[in-house]
Amino acid sequence: MLFSKKKNLGIESEDMNKIVADSGITHIAFIMDGNGRWANKRGLPREAGHGVGVKAFKKAVTLCRDWGIKTVTTYAFSTENWKRPPQEVREIMRLLDEYIKEAEDDNEKNHIRYIFLGDKERLGEELKAKCLYLEGLTRDNPLTLNIALNYGGRAELVSAVNSLIAEGKTEISEEDISSRLYTKESPDPDLIVRTGGEVRLSNFLLWQSQYSELYFTDCLWPDFDEMELRRSIIEFSKRKRRYGGV
Ligand code: IPE
Ligand code: IPE
Ligand code: MG
């Protein structure tokens, strides 16, 4: 207890609006990993970890918004996550469905524009329609929340290139590719935070992460709280971004 208090010393009193503004961070992305392990450690089924993970996610989004970060992206379900047991996939989709309904109800007060990154076809007609409806409903809101759902960085690149081929292009630029990605409405992420202790991107934002700062923490996603979020952004604010220059 004493140790964790010491570790947090000063962090809780930092003015995050100022740190966010001074650091220039406009886009933060989360690889929300560790839900299953969080649950297993407590003798609970993996699904329970996803439920608590949604709560942590909502808190993180609210804090980012209040601190002035304009774009948040989160990795909710990858193209590879279909390999999981059917009941786990079903529960993740049910939680998403519930989340979408709440987002609709809270639209007036949240000011969030929702964009789903990924191929919606595999989600089934009902969930796909709900995603499209929420995107349309929130289109004019000022803050963006990208939810990567059935998302894979490679699939995204392949689909971008295929759409350029379909348009008849025989030569393409970096701008052409960027403008066909699911993230075309957003700047590249300044910071990518991965919880859960793994040090990899797992097919997330492969193109967009070119010069993103990466932050890895052992904290399991359901435990990712305000202190953890503050710590990641404060660490980002100390990084020197050179983009290949000096
Ligand atoms: C959440 O964490 C990520 C999702 C795919 C929803 P995991 O479910 O991967 O949790 P761990 O890594 O097995 O602990
Ligand atoms: C990455 O987590 C995907 C999401 C957070 C949705 P995984 O748990 O699927 O990644 P790996 O399998 O450890 O690389
Ligand atoms: Mg995992």
Side-chain angles (χ1 to χ4, degrees):
M1 192 59 203
L2 195 63
F3 174 70
S4 73
K5 264 194 182 154
K6 257 192 184 157
K7 211 165 69 164
N8 285 340
L9 204 66
I11 290 183
E12 70 270 37
S13 58
E14 293 279 6
D15 178 349
M16 292 309 292
N17 290 81
K18 182 166 172 8
I19 288 175
V20 163
D22 291 350
S23 72
I25 185 169
T26 65
H27 183 179
I28 185 168
F30 299 105
I31 301 176
M32 310 186 288
D33 197 23
N35 291 348
R37 280 165 283 164
W38 184 93
N40 285 342
K41 264 175 45 180
R42 287 163 179 76
L44 298 167
R46 292 177 54 83
E47 290 77 13
H50 297 309
V52 182
V54 174
K55 295 199 177 105
F57 165 63
K58 287 187 200 159
K59 271 190 230 143
V61 171
T62 304
L63 288 166
C64 290
R65 185 196 62 191
D66 293 350
W67 293 338
I69 300 177
K70 298 245 168 344
T71 304
V72 175
T73 298
T74 190
Y75 206 2
F77 194 85
S78 75
T79 45
E80 289 73 37
N81 288 150
W82 296 104
K83 291 179 202 155
R84 295 184 176 207
Q87 76 271 13
E88 181 174 347
V89 173
R90 259 199 312 276
E91 175 60 7
I92 293 172
M93 295 304 156
R94 192 194 65 76
L95 287 165
L96 270 156
D97 193 281
E98 202 172 82
Y99 179 80
I100 290 172
K101 193 171 174 323
E102 271 181 46
E104 267 177 45
D105 295 344
D106 294 345
N107 182 32
E108 296 295 322
K109 65 170 197 269
N110 274 349
H111 312 293
I112 291 174
R113 174 181 187 185
Y114 294 86
I115 298 177
F116 292 91
L117 315 178
D119 182 3
K120 294 186 184 74
E121 292 310 318
R122 200 167 167 188
L123 302 177
E125 281 310 314
E126 209 179 310
L127 186 55
K128 178 185 161 189
K130 287 178 183 176
C131 292
L132 288 169
Y133 178 75
L134 185 65
E135 286 180 335
L137 178 74
T138 60
R139 187 177 309 263
D140 297 323
N141 290 343
L143 305 161
T144 299
L145 174 53
N146 295 309
I147 300 179
L149 177 57
N150 188 26
Y151 173 89
R154 285 197 172 190
E156 179 182 41
L157 280 164
V158 168
S159 127
V161 172
N162 277 330
S163 78
L164 291 161
I165 292 170
E167 287 165 34
K169 294 235 183 211
T170 52
E171 204 180 308
I172 56 174
S173 64
E174 292 191 5
E175 289 71 28
D176 285 330
I177 292 185
S178 293
S179 69
R180 267 50 166 209
L181 299 178
Y182 295 120
T183 51
K184 58 178 177 287
E185 314 271 357
S186 303
D188 288 342
D190 298 297
L191 171 63
I192 298 178
V193 172
R194 180 171 187 147
T195 59
E198 312 297 350
V199 185
R200 56 179 170 253
L201 288 174
S202 302
N203 205 9
F204 188 52
L205 303 181
L206 299 182
W207 176 272
Q208 302 87 333
S209 59
Q210 179 198 31
Y211 271 107
S212 301
E213 296 297 325
L214 308 179
Y215 178 89
F216 298 96
T217 168
D218 289 337
C219 172
L220 303 173
W221 179 258
D223 291 327
F224 191 78
D225 60 6
E226 175 168 350
M227 280 310 139
E228 293 288 340
L229 182 59
R230 281 175 173 257
R231 203 171 284 131
S232 68
I233 295 171
I234 291 169
E235 159 75 20
F236 168 83
S237 72
K238 294 176 183 156
R239 301 268 178 97
K240 298 272 174 288
R241 305 181 80 185
R242 283 184 286 276
Y243 300 98
V246 287

